[in-house]
Every structure is written in structure tokens, then in C-alpha cells.
Amino acid sequence: MPRTRTPERPHHHRQHHDRRGAELLHHTRRADGDLLTTYGNRRASRCPACSRLYAADTYHLIRAGLSGGTTVPDTVRTHPRVFVALTPPSFGPVHNRPTTPGGDIRPCRCRKLHEPTDALIGKPLTPATYDYAGAVLFNAHAGALWARFTTYLRRELAARLGLTQKAARAVLRISFAKVAEYQKRGLVHFHAVIRLDGPDGPDGNATPPPPSATVTVLTDAIRAAALRVRVAVASDAIGERELTWGEQLDVREIAAFGTDAELTDQAVAAYVAKYATKSADASGTLDHALFCRPCQGRGATLLPHGTPLPCTACDGTGQARPLPRLAVARHVRQMIRTCWDLGSLPEFTGLKLRKWAHMLGFRGHFSTKSSSYSTTLGALRDARRTWRSEQARAHTGLPDLDPTTTLVVGRWDYLGSGYSPGAALLAAGVWHRKELERQFAAEGGC
């Protein structure tokens, strides 16, 4: 069974009373005194069950902004929509699987034809000359790079439409949703859905953008905006640097609803949802902070030569491991060490590199969206909560819930975390059976 967070065990006690007659309508209480609740983490490495639920919510959020649904009208299907991939620049040659124009795999610079599962992929060919400081600073400023990209995108669109920025805002709105993904080399890149709407977005009358705002115009504006983005950083230790996006920029139109094209609404939504549950551990780094919260409050311990001495962060034993003994590859360990070294410089204090060293410097949200793109994860969770409450009400035979006549009194008391020994054995068996069923279905079984 994978290393995951165990569920919480609160005590749940709830009563339904009739306000008019003070009559007890229903009393909910577990016979064994406690109720298992999910951990609620989006990362698949920490809680597979919760991550699948988060992925499903993300799928519906992205799909609603492409096909319509919930609060988004169906007319968004006809708006210009593209799928964009913004990548980091090169900080030194790494082992990879380059392709020819025809799509064939050719040998790496090391003259070896790597297999897809080769552990060398993403590792520097010459670690001594690899720009680890630049790589860490790029991850730390990835959010700022995206923010400047959206600013320049609005300016480029206005220029191509022959409008001032104020006039463009009166007839056009940019809506987007993006997700972050770690590459094998430990760098963050973004996948984004960008849609053009009328001035009110999907709200109001859901007016379309002006006819001159086509997919071609949007694509040209995206490419021009990505080239303009610059973030300057300076330090006495590393000198002056200018962070930019990489040369590889992929912009593809999302096909109209109901077509047979490869990049459809459903395919894009599934692609974004897939990466929404991944974290930095997909690139071989840690899935937890170097220090747990109590240890961060007491202050981090350092070895005599300045190497951080991380606690185990999750197991509660209080034992510590020096950085060279972390179960990560040498390349990842060097990026963590670089985060720690740069985090001690006063000019980089605001980046909180030491706190986010396990994320290789990236401290942003993995999935974000503009306010006008679609519904929210909170709205989807509220709808699911309401549906489950209605199912429970119907199962217990309670009358329709009326806030003016029905009083619900509930109380939660925390009892602890984790399964009992017997429940842990049952949970491991259920997890194993479900994994086999999913693998069988993925392989085309029936």
C-alpha cells in the first residue's frame, strides 16, 4: 500500500428537531462512536482516493468552461479557445529522448537511446556546469512569469485589434484556467486553456468577442506575449539574471464540440485533471516539507558545514536525517541544497526558498483560473454535499428540510487519526482490489 495520510477519526453526533413542537425527528450517531473522514489532499502520492475526487472536480470545472454547464452558457463552445504549454528555458543539457521531424526517437547527446523509464532522463549531462541557481530561481518566479504573461497578452490583443487597452476591455475579456506540471529535470511548466469572451464573460448575456478576435489573432498574441516576458533578479552571490520562458511554446486550437479532432473539450479537460493531482514528487523529489510545522517553529537545525538536518516530517519519531541521506537522486538533492543556500541570502528572503525546498523552489498553486472562466471547486463541492444530504434524508425518511421549522444540531469531536490494526488490514485489501480493477479496465478488460 502506498505511503499516504491516514483518515481522521472524529466523533459525529447530530439531531434533527421540530422547531414548532420541540420534537426529536432523527438522531444520527455511530454505534462505535467515531466516523472515518477523508484526508482531503489533492496529491495522488498522499491520498489516492481524495486525489481522484479532486481530479473529477477539476475535470468538470475545465469542461464547463469549454462546453458549457452549471453557470456557464453553451455558447462558449463557439468562442476562440486554445490550449497553451509554456515551458522553462534551458539551464544546461540534460539526458532526454529527442525526436525527429517525423516523430522517430533519436539518440541523446550522450549517444545513448534512452528508454522512457530510464532514470537518467532529465538529469544533467555535466552536473558541474548545470545552472542550478537559475533553475531554482525560475521555479520560484514561475508565478510572476505567468502574471506578466497575462498582462502582455491583453496588450498584444489590443494592439492586434487596433484598440487601446481601455477600448479592448470594453469589448473583450480573456478567461483562462491553468495547471502546473513538473518536468523530469525538476522544472515547472504550465498548461493553460485560454478563451476569448465578450466584455461580460460568460455572465450576463454571454456576448461573444468581436468577430475580429479570431483564433489566429489569439495565437499570434500569445506567442508575442511569451517573448516579451522578462523577470530580472540580482544578487552579489550569483550576479544579475533575466528569467524568461523557454523557446518551446505550444499553442493549439481546441476543436469545436462534437468533432472528431484529437484535441477536443473532453480530451483537454481530462489532460488538465490528470496533472492537477501531481506534485513535485513526480520529478523524484520529496512529497513533504523538509521540516514539519513543530520543527519549523523551533528553528531548523544545521550541521557544522551548513547542511540542513531535516526531520522526517511525518512519522512522529523525531529522528533526523542529513541531506545527503535523503532518498532522492543527486540532481534533486542538489536543487534542494541550492534552495537552502539561496534562501539564506537577504535578497531572496521573500521567496521562502527554504520552506519550499522540497518543491524545488516553486511555491505557487498547482491549478488556478480567472474568475470568469467557469464555476469554482467550492461550488462543485457544495453541490455534492447537498446531493449527499438529500440522499441521507431520503434514506432516513425525514421530511423536506425547512430551515424555518427544522433545527439541526451537530457536533464534531476529534478522537484521533489512523486505522485500527484490523481496519488497516481491510483498507489495504480494498485498495489492492480496486487497483487491480482499474488496471484491468485500463488494459481493455471487461
Side-chain angles (χ1 to χ4, degrees), residues 74-105:
D74 296 344
T75 53
V76 296
R77 301 173 180 176
T78 62
H79 294 191
R81 308 166 304 167
V82 294
F83 190 49
V84 182
L86 291 164
T87 61
S90 174
F91 297 100
V94 298
H95 295 275
N96 59 1
R97 284 167 50 86
T99 59
T100 64
D104 298 327
I105 305 297

Side-chain angles (χ1 to χ4, degrees), residues 256-404:
F257 181 79
T259 61
D260 296 330
E262 180 181 355
L263 197 64
T264 60
D265 301 348
Q266 182 177 359
V268 170
Y271 189 84
V272 172
K274 172 185 176 182
Y275 288 106
T277 60
K278 292 189 176 182
S279 187
D281 54 280
S283 62
T285 186
L286 304 173
D287 65 348
H288 58 271
L290 289 179
F291 297 91
C292 63
R293 290 184 179 179
C295 291
Q296 289 176 359
R298 292 194 300 266
T301 305
L302 296 181
L303 295 178
H305 57 284
T307 303
L309 188 66
C311 69
T312 49
C314 294
D315 59 11
T317 63
Q319 300 297 320
R321 299 170 301 189
L323 182 60
R325 293 178 55 191
L326 293 177
V328 295
R330 181 179 301 176
H331 171 63
V332 173
R333 187 180 299 115
Q334 184 58 43
M335 291 196 70
I336 294 176
R337 189 186 303 275
T338 303
C339 287
W340 191 265
D341 294 339
L342 294 179
S344 64
L345 302 178
E347 52 268 35
F348 297 137
T349 302
L351 299 179
K352 301 181 180 179
L353 291 174
R354 289 190 169 185
K355 178 180 179 180
W356 298 101
H358 66 293
M359 301 289 286
L360 309 183
F362 179 68
R363 66 188 191 282
H365 294 287
F366 267 77
S367 59
T368 60
K369 71 176 190 67
S370 61
S371 58
S372 60
Y373 174 79
S374 175
T375 184
T376 64
L377 292 176
L380 293 173
R381 291 163 183 161
D382 288 342
R384 182 168 57 250
R385 188 180 301 112
T386 301
W387 181 84
R388 288 177 174 173
S389 298
E390 289 298 318
Q391 293 292 312
R393 182 193 59 77
H395 178 72
T396 55
L398 288 172
D400 293 341
L401 183 62
D402 186 354
T404 61

Side-chain angles (χ1 to χ4, degrees), residues 60-76 79 173 175 195 197 200-207 369-380 382-383:
H60 289 294
L61 185 150
I62 299 297
R63 182 72 182 272
L66 294 172
S67 305
T70 61
T71 59
V72 183
D74 296 344
T75 53
V76 296
H79 294 191
R173 175 180 289 191
S175 302
R195 187 188 71 222
D197 299 322
D200 298 329
D203 301 328
N205 297 325
T207 55
K369 71 176 190 67
S370 61
S371 58
S372 60
Y373 174 79
S374 175
T375 184
T376 64
L377 292 176
L380 293 173
D382 288 342

